[in-house]
Amino acid sequence: MDHSRRRMLTLASSLSLPLLAGCTGMLGSSDEGDSDSAGGSDDSGGGGSAADATATPTETPTPTPEPTSEFLVRTRNVMDEISWFGTQYQRARRRYLLEVKPVTETIAKLKQVNTLTSGDVEELRSKTTALATYVSEELAPHFELDAALRRGNNIYVRNFEAAVQQNDTAAQQDTLGRLDVFYTRATNESYLDQHLSAHPIEAPLHDYLSSDTQGQAIFGVSYPPGDNFTTQTFSDEYSDRASDEVRPHEHEFPTGQRVYAHAHTYDAGHDIYDHENERPNGIIYAFSDGAIDILEDTQAWRERLGDYEPAYTNVFDATVTREGRVDYAYVMANRLVTKTDSDEQFAGVPIFVQRFESPEAAATGVDTLFSTTLGEDGTVRLANREWTRVFYDYDGPNLYANLHQIGEFILVTGVSPRPHRDRSREQQWPEQLKLSWLGMEEPATPTPQSDG
């Protein structure tokens, strides 16, 4: 079967549920609708009564809308959040500091006033409310922040108001001092690193990326457009807020590539040569500038990570299609490893996410890939979704991967020089991917019920 024919059948299959649901809505009408239909006029001009002739036509039933896939929603959340950090984060952090400044300036001014009035309270409340509005709308969707920053009329402002109403000068100065401490703390480097940091990113992006809730996953994310924003995400179980003070951290190879995989007993700044354990297959996936590379051991006997050199660079290049594409990013999925003798700590599996203007543009992109750079090698079911097994030329040898379209997205993962036919089930669907949002099981499609 040629690819275009298979794509049409796949598209028809993916649309079968909403189409049947729509047909059910049209065929299975209400009693009122059945009555109207049975008593309709005869266009041939015979036998209809006057009442029939003037009856209001039955409205065309609205087809049942297509249910939005939970997996599609999660993929949108992942891409939206990575894109926000890649394009808006630095501006938002600078703007936050600017929004706090009028609050701290007002507090400093009020400390110098001998007699405070309700007007002074309202002035302060207006400044804290402006800040709270910005925090709630721009920052709170991406970070876990103090409730007092998200509320203009917070406990500190209310206590100040009570002290002014009671004309208690000592209490007024005390509450202004507490206000000063809170808002000054909210701008220091320690607070910013703890609550507004993109290195690492915690909730909600980590939750979007992860299919489990046990804190076992770690992800590297890279938003290549523009400044090539690259960082990692992990659960706050491994942040310095927790009793375990060893945070997951990155390693940079002598050739410049970076990996995020582990949190173990070495200091965060330890050298890659401290690692004596190696990947059993001699391959490591790593971020480079705006791409993913495969690093391969160059020595016959592996003793340290410094022996690795890039063997395949920009490994997703053949799966890129730019027509109609609006965004793209890379995610590296891994199980968080805390032991230095585990060969899993550099076993990340990359995922390439491309977003298009519409599902139709994404489908066109897939067709373009199959007519230009990609070959098809059957299908495989992963998390109850059908992925197309693909292969493509890489300067002589082939690379092999899995491709899936969902809505306006094209997802590619499992890239490797190992052919599909030589992969075990674990190699085709590794645990690292199961820990990512790709591991969300697709629910079984219900069988549409007729109206009998």
Side-chain angles (χ1 to χ4, degrees), residues 2-258:
D2 65 34
H3 175 68
S4 297
R5 170 68 172 160
R6 192 190 69 80
R7 287 281 301 156
M8 290 301 294
L9 291 177
T10 302
L11 184 58
S13 174
S14 67
L15 295 177
S16 60
L17 177 59
L19 288 175
L20 286 170
C23 292
T24 302
M26 296 175 70
L27 295 174
S29 53
S30 65
D31 291 339
E32 180 180 347
D34 290 339
S35 173
D36 289 343
S37 177
S41 61
D42 184 351
D43 289 340
S44 64
S49 66
D52 290 336
T54 59
T56 301
T58 303
E59 289 187 9
T60 302
T62 302
T64 303
E66 178 182 355
T68 302
S69 160
E70 182 182 352
F71 179 65
L72 175 56
V73 171
R74 182 75 73 86
T75 303
R76 286 172 180 160
N77 288 339
V78 165
M79 191 69 239
D80 287 346
E81 198 70 359
I82 294 174
S83 176
W84 185 87
F85 276 97
T87 61
Q88 303 298 316
Y89 167 72
Q90 293 294 344
R91 178 200 62 80
R93 181 163 162 156
R94 289 193 298 269
R95 171 81 182 276
Y96 167 73
L97 296 176
L98 291 175
E99 293 288 341
V100 176
K101 189 175 181 181
V103 177
T104 56
E105 288 177 341
T106 300
I107 293 169
K109 184 186 75 172
L110 295 180
K111 281 184 173 182
Q112 306 303 316
V113 177
N114 293 325
T115 303
L116 294 167
T117 67
S118 60
D120 296 314
V121 174
E122 288 308 313
E123 180 184 3
L124 176 63
R125 185 182 286 119
S126 70
K127 298 297 192 301
T128 58
T129 298
L131 171 62
T133 299
Y134 175 74
V135 168
S136 297
E137 293 178 354
E138 297 296 329
L139 298 179
H142 310 286
F143 300 100
E144 294 179 353
L145 297 168
D146 288 283
L149 281 175
R150 294 180 276 111
R151 297 173 186 159
N153 193 36
N154 57 47
I155 184 64
Y156 300 104
V157 175
R158 295 197 303 272
N159 286 344
F160 174 61
E161 181 178 34
V164 171
Q165 290 175 344
Q166 295 160 10
N167 199 25
D168 186 333
T169 303
Q172 291 169 10
Q173 290 302 312
D174 179 66
T175 55
L176 283 172
R178 293 176 185 273
L179 277 158
D180 191 21
V181 168
F182 174 75
Y183 284 103
T184 299
R185 180 181 71 90
T187 61
N188 65 37
E189 285 300 317
S190 175
Y191 184 89
L192 296 175
D193 288 343
Q194 189 77 269
H195 297 280
L196 285 171
S197 176
H199 305 282
I201 303 170
E202 295 179 23
L205 178 58
H206 183 77
D207 295 333
Y208 292 151
L209 289 166
S210 180
S211 65
D212 83 315
T213 57
Q214 304 304 314
Q216 296 301 307
I218 180 172
F219 301 99
V221 296
S222 180
Y223 186 77
D227 295 330
N228 297 328
F229 172 82
T230 303
T231 188
Q232 61 182 327
T233 84
F234 52 84
S235 167
D236 62 5
E237 175 185 357
Y238 293 97
S239 75
D240 54 8
R241 286 181 237 174
S243 57
D244 179 1
E245 295 181 357
V246 180
R247 294 165 65 95
H249 51 274
E250 73 172 41
H251 276 312
E252 183 170 337
F253 292 86
T255 51
Q257 286 80 7
R258 287 175 289 170

Side-chain angles (χ1 to χ4, degrees), residues 296-318:
E296 200 164 30
D297 185 25
T298 58
Q299 303 297 321
W301 179 257
R302 295 187 300 276
E303 293 184 353
R304 60 190 185 277
L305 296 178
D307 291 335
Y308 280 78
E309 297 286 347
Y312 302 86
T313 57
N314 201 4
V315 296
F316 288 108
D317 187 54

Side-chain angles (χ1 to χ4, degrees), residues 269-298:
H270 68 277
D271 194 273
I272 59 173
Y273 294 95
D274 292 334
H275 293 278
E276 295 183 356
N277 59 299
E278 302 294 342
R279 295 286 299 124
N281 59 5
I283 285 178
I284 293 174
Y285 296 88
F287 291 108
S288 59
D289 289 337
I292 298 290
D293 295 345
I294 297 178
L295 278 60
E296 200 164 30
D297 185 25
T298 58

